[in-house]
Amino acid sequence: MLHITLRQLKVFESVARHLSFSRAAEELFLTQPAVSLQIKQLEEAVALPLFEQMGKRIYLTEAGQELYHYSRSIAQLLADMELALDELKGLDRGKLNISVVSTANYFTPHLLAKFCQRYHGVTVSLNVSNREAVLKQLADNLTDLAIMGQPPDGLDIVSESFMENPLVIIAPPAHPLCGQRQIPVKQLEQEVFLVREVGSGTRSAMERFFSEQEINVARGMEADTTEAIKQAVQAGMGLGIMSLHTIELELAAHRLEVLDVQGFPIMRHWYVVHRKNKRFSQVVKTFKDFLLKEASSLVA
């Protein structure tokens, strides 16, 4: 009989999923030497190497691939067990695991705070990532719910709109277009636009809008965070397009202005997304209903 522990399997599953000791250590809040020790002890227990290194990258061996398959199944069984116990606890001591794209993090904590004020015993795990990382968490069944502005195609998921997400054009207050009314879209061809990374929902919406309008705009800096775009626009590097929900503080402080451009705002929506046939605890069910029924009025 193999003498291996659940802790060793959990560490192995994380390393195998990321193919990185350092990322596993970060995810599990362990030091890298501690992760390495757990893997070493596991390899001694199974008497087979689980990883091989080629250059700076690690790969699963044949034994590692077999163990990864079973470790994922065991992890899912443990999650199901925890879910069943949470259901018995009801809303008094339940756990909510949620992933959001970075732009949604400007309002999600506010909603979570309202929810937790109502249900004091709920424990929340909030993961904030870019869209690509959130989609991977959904695909790997690592989150109960996700919040994003552009649901994916092709994944076996359910997505429901719970709030409008207006996209606006932002500029520094000293920009010549500030204060003008009904600016023709064609005039934007004279401007430089700062854009999010490839795969971003905001960037996709921007590119789709300009393509439909047959507008060719110059692109300046590309950044993978909303904050980077906002700071660059304030510095005068160009214009930006982003969710109105992300710029409340800058508008109040008069560090950014919303331009009155024909065709804007681009009206999109925020979606709550989860795997199809995902088994929900009472807490997750209640939070999803809370988003669908109350989020729009609370954020407004």
Side-chain angles (χ1 to χ4, degrees):
M1 183 176 179
L2 290 175
H3 296 287
I4 59 179
T5 67
L6 290 176
R7 180 178 177 82
Q8 289 169 348
L9 283 177
K10 183 176 182 179
V11 171
F12 167 78
E13 191 277 334
S14 183
V15 175
R17 177 161 36 87
H18 293 296
L19 290 178
S20 168
F21 282 79
S22 59
R23 291 184 65 186
E26 181 180 344
E27 178 178 87
L28 299 173
F29 300 102
L30 297 172
T31 64
Q32 193 166 331
V35 170
S36 299
L37 178 61
Q38 292 291 325
I39 297 300
K40 180 181 178 182
Q41 292 174 344
L42 183 59
E43 288 181 325
E44 290 173 352
V46 301
L48 287 167
L50 301 174
F51 296 96
E52 57 184 350
Q53 185 161 353
M54 296 182 185
K56 294 183 178 180
R57 300 187 63 183
I58 63 170
Y59 299 87
L60 286 168
T61 63
E62 184 177 357
Q65 292 173 2
E66 284 291 326
L67 188 59
Y68 183 49
H69 168 74
Y70 288 106
S71 68
R72 292 293 302 277
S73 298
I74 292 170
Q76 186 59 55
L77 284 172
L78 290 173
D80 289 344
M81 179 186 70
E82 185 177 4
L83 181 61
L85 294 175
D86 280 344
E87 288 178 342
L88 294 175
K89 298 171 186 174
L91 292 170
D92 293 330
R93 295 176 57 193
K95 183 177 180 181
L96 174 64
N97 185 18
I98 182 169
S99 296
V100 303
V101 294
S102 56
T103 48
N105 194 43
Y106 287 89
F107 62 83
T108 301
H110 175 70
L111 294 175
L112 288 171
K114 293 290 186 182
F115 185 76
C116 291
Q117 287 169 11
R118 193 174 302 176
Y119 305 106
H120 300 285
V122 173
T123 300
V124 177
S125 174
L126 175 63
N127 182 281
V128 182
S129 305
N130 62 25
R131 184 173 181 271
E132 183 180 353
V134 171
L135 290 179
K136 188 174 188 309
Q137 290 159 15
L138 278 170
D140 291 339
N141 199 28
L142 297 176
T143 188
D144 295 322
L145 299 172
I147 293 177
M148 61 181 63
Q150 182 182 339
D153 296 322
L155 278 181
D156 190 19
I157 65 153
V158 174
S159 61
E160 296 176 71
S161 166
F162 67 90
M163 188 168 66
E164 289 185 339
N165 176 23
L167 298 185
V168 296
I169 298 181
I170 58 172
H175 194 280
L177 292 179
C178 288
Q180 295 189 30
R181 298 299 178 192
Q182 288 294 293
I183 301 165
V185 177
K186 194 70 176 176
Q187 194 169 339
L188 297 180
E189 289 187 323
Q190 303 172 25
E191 304 295 332
V192 173
F193 276 81
L194 312 179
V195 297
R196 288 290 303 270
E197 77 282 4
V198 174
S200 160
T202 302
R203 175 168 175 165
S204 297
M206 180 194 80
E207 291 175 340
R208 186 164 53 250
F209 176 83
F210 286 142
S211 175
E212 291 171 353
Q213 298 295 321
E214 299 182 347
I215 300 295
N216 296 311
V217 296
R219 294 180 184 175
M221 183 184 77
E222 178 180 307
D224 62 359
T225 68
T226 298
E227 284 302 314
I229 297 292
K230 289 196 291 187
Q231 293 296 327
V233 171
Q234 289 179 59
M237 294 179 63
L239 304 181
I241 293 180
M242 60 182 54
S243 169
L244 186 60
H245 292 126
T246 67
I247 56 172
E248 288 184 3
L249 293 178
E250 288 78 12
L251 293 178
H254 304 291
R255 294 197 296 266
L256 288 173
E257 296 287 342
V258 174
L259 296 183
D260 183 11
V261 177
Q262 293 175 0
F264 280 84
I266 302 173
M267 194 56 68
R268 300 171 71 231
H269 290 85
W270 291 110
Y271 293 85
V272 56
V273 181
H274 59 82
R275 291 286 297 270
K276 192 175 182 180
N277 300 321
K278 175 76 174 177
R279 183 181 174 187
F280 284 161
S281 68
Q282 186 60 43
V283 167
V284 178
K285 292 176 187 174
T286 305
F287 183 71
K288 180 182 175 182
D289 289 342
F290 168 79
L291 286 179
L292 294 174
K293 296 175 182 177
E294 301 184 46
S296 184
S297 60
L298 288 173
V299 172

